[in-house]
Amino acid sequence: MAPPSATSPERAGNHQNGDQIPSARAPHEPGISESKAKVQMPKFPQPPTFADKYAERDYLKGRLAAAFRIFGKYGYDEGVAGHITLRDPVRPDTFWVNPFGVAFSLIKKSDLIQVDHDGNVIDGGEVRLLNSAAFMIHGAIHRNRPDVLCAAHSHSIYGRSFCSLGRNLDMITQDSCSFYDDLALYESFNGIVLAEKEGNDIAACLGNKKAALLQNHGLLTVGGTIEAAVFWFISLEKCCQAQLLADAAAGGRGHETVKIHDDDAAFTYKTIGSPMAGFFSAKPQFDIIERECGADYLQ
């Protein structure tokens, strides 16, 4: 079923019978009534809450390890590139990240390293190598976006291919509407991000959006939950793939792709682009990786 909306559904036009109004709560079931949607979708999973911040840290580190296993499964790793970070709930001025040079598909909770905002590794597993680019990009994001719990960046094949075009995503599919007016384009490339200024520039370009296309580089996504950041990355990667294919097919016929109208894209975004939609949409991937890996990544 479709994810829930974080906003109340809007009634379009002057319909006499509200039961006939398509509900924003069921975007993959066109025409379903709001009353039926309420019956069929009474309750959705929510992010867990914790009274104990140390228990929250332990749980979130497990979810972060699962996120790396998901990225490894999807082939988002290449060599030693790529990183996902988690703001620490006990010490919010620090974050957890993957140790440099450890394969995504092997990462366990105990491997993660904790980094302060000066770039010092203050806790974590045996391998305490820190990717400088990870610190520069993610450190700047966590400093400037207190709402961001998790940030993800990797050199996925379709993302980096699309980012070579120096253009933003077109609204050509329902899925692309998740990023309507919520996707930044960083129009610069100055080599590997080893300077503080570059990290700050990327964070400034991202602004309050949930994702960015880094020109000649790759994708960056953020979220108030680990699940949302992971799902936005997976979805954005597939949107880039879809646009590359659609543009090639249309261009070969001398045509252009059909764009979704701004009003329709904005309406769709309210349902499938919300933070809760991102959280819930990631559930299948996390469920599968848990089944496939067992408790291995939780060690």
Side-chain angles (χ1 to χ4, degrees):
M1 258 186 202
S5 171
T7 59
S8 298
E10 295 181 359
R11 293 179 177 270
N14 257 342
H15 294 274
Q16 295 295 320
N17 184 354
D19 197 52
Q20 299 302 314
I21 301 172
S23 171
R25 297 179 184 274
H28 298 306
E29 301 178 30
I32 190 170
S33 68
E34 183 175 337
S35 60
K36 288 181 181 178
K38 288 180 179 178
V39 171
Q40 294 176 16
M41 297 183 289
K43 187 176 181 180
F44 285 86
Q46 301 287 322
T49 57
F50 296 84
D52 182 347
K53 289 296 181 182
Y54 288 93
E56 182 177 6
R57 170 196 277 175
D58 186 68
Y59 171 80
L60 290 175
K61 286 175 64 180
R63 297 302 271 181
L64 182 60
F68 283 112
R69 297 297 182 99
I70 292 169
F71 268 38
K73 180 178 180 177
Y74 275 89
Y76 296 159
D77 52 346
E78 182 167 336
V80 296
H83 17 87
I84 312 174
T85 54
L86 160 70
R87 185 190 301 277
D88 184 62
V90 178
R91 292 187 52 184
D93 60 336
T94 68
F95 59 85
W96 295 86
V97 66
N98 50 307
F100 199 26
V102 177
F104 285 2
S105 296
L106 298 178
I107 285 180
K108 300 190 291 284
K109 180 172 65 174
S110 58
D111 293 322
L112 300 170
I113 58 176
Q114 187 179 14
V115 183
D116 66 20
H117 282 187
D118 292 321
N120 301 307
V121 178
I122 60 175
D123 198 1
E126 293 182 4
V127 178
R128 296 199 174 188
L129 289 175
L130 173 63
N131 184 329
S132 296
F135 170 69
M136 291 302 175
I137 296 173
H138 293 253
I141 291 171
H142 285 295
R143 282 195 304 271
N144 289 282
R145 288 282 300 274
D147 61 305
V148 167
L149 178 73
C150 180
H153 166 67
S154 190
H155 299 172
S156 53
I157 185 64
Y158 296 109
R160 71 190 191 203
S161 297
F162 186 78
C163 286
S164 71
L165 303 177
R167 57 179 289 194
N168 215 320
L169 198 67
D170 291 332
M171 298 296 104
I172 58 171
T173 66
Q174 175 175 293
D175 302 285
S176 65
C177 293
S178 296
F179 301 96
Y180 179 75
D181 199 27
D182 205 9
L183 176 63
L185 174 61
Y186 184 66
E187 300 180 271
S188 177
F189 179 75
N190 297 306
I192 298 174
V193 183
L194 300 177
E196 184 177 357
K197 181 181 183 303
E198 184 78 354
N200 288 332
D201 287 347
I202 290 173
C205 178
L206 176 66
N208 64 354
K209 300 184 185 302
K210 67 167 172 261
L213 303 170
L214 308 181
Q215 185 172 292
N216 304 112
H217 192 171
L219 309 180
L220 172 69
T221 60
V222 301
T225 60
I226 294 171
E227 291 84 356
V230 167
F231 181 74
W232 298 140
F233 193 99
I234 294 171
S235 182
L236 185 55
E237 167 74 358
K238 291 184 176 180
C239 285
C240 289
Q241 180 183 7
Q243 181 152 349
L244 289 168
L245 291 170
D247 283 346
R253 293 169 172 76
H255 299 293
E256 290 189 4
T257 55
V258 177
K259 311 301 188 293
I260 296 173
H261 190 276
D262 283 348
D263 289 345
D264 296 325
F267 178 77
T268 305
Y269 171 85
K270 290 180 180 180
T271 298
I272 66 172
S274 69
M276 272 307 303
F279 169 80
F280 185 65
S281 295
K283 183 181 182 298
Q285 284 84 7
F286 279 83
D287 289 346
I288 291 169
I289 212 69
E290 182 178 356
R291 174 67 63 88
E292 291 178 346
C293 298
D296 178 55
Y297 65 87
L298 292 174
Q299 295 176 14

